[in-house]
Amino acid sequence: MVLTMDGRIKRLHHKCKYMGMHENDVIFARFSKRYLDDLPENEIPQFEKLLEENDLDIFKWITGKLPVPAEFDNEVMEKLRHCQEFVEHQYNP
């Protein structure tokens, strides 16, 4: 089945709300609300590929607990880190 761009974005919005780890749910929900509808077309495959990775690894990459592999060190990761910083500030003022 081939999804339209609108269908892909809707699927990604849903996935962002149900990542698996609560911490990722918060970060990715923020990302979804802030960036997903206006994500440049070239960043959508980057984001989809990232979502295939292990939740704990993703969390550690976003928070800087592990180095980000080169294939995921891109604009999407920068946006996710910005969302994490916002969330971290909200919970630890």
Side-chain angles (χ1 to χ4, degrees):
M1 170 175 51
V2 176
L3 290 175
T4 64
M5 187 58 73
D6 188 47
R8 284 172 80 182
I9 297 298
K10 283 182 182 180
R11 182 179 55 79
L12 292 171
H13 273 293
H14 179 78
K15 176 68 176 161
C16 285
K17 294 177 186 173
Y18 304 102
M19 290 294 296
M21 283 180 53
H22 173 71
E23 294 85 350
N24 280 358
D25 290 346
V26 173
I27 294 167
F28 279 78
R30 179 79 179 154
F31 175 89
S32 173
K33 184 176 183 178
R34 226 169 164 192
Y35 295 111
L36 197 51
D37 287 330
D38 298 319
L39 203 62
E41 196 169 323
N42 68 308
E43 292 179 22
I44 292 171
Q46 294 173 2
F47 187 57
E48 290 172 323
K49 185 172 170 101
L50 178 65
L51 292 176
E52 294 173 5
E53 297 300 310
N54 177 281
D55 277 359
L56 185 57
D57 290 341
I58 294 170
F59 178 74
K60 288 180 178 180
W61 297 334
I62 292 170
T63 58
K65 293 178 182 5
L66 281 178
V68 179
E71 66 186 302
F72 298 116
D73 194 9
N74 53 39
E75 298 86 359
V76 170
M77 185 60 66
E78 285 300 314
K79 290 172 182 169
L80 284 163
R81 284 186 166 159
H82 185 260
C83 291
Q84 180 269 332
E85 291 167 0
F86 175 83
V87 170
E88 189 174 89
H89 181 342
Q90 292 293 85
Y91 290 107
N92 301 311

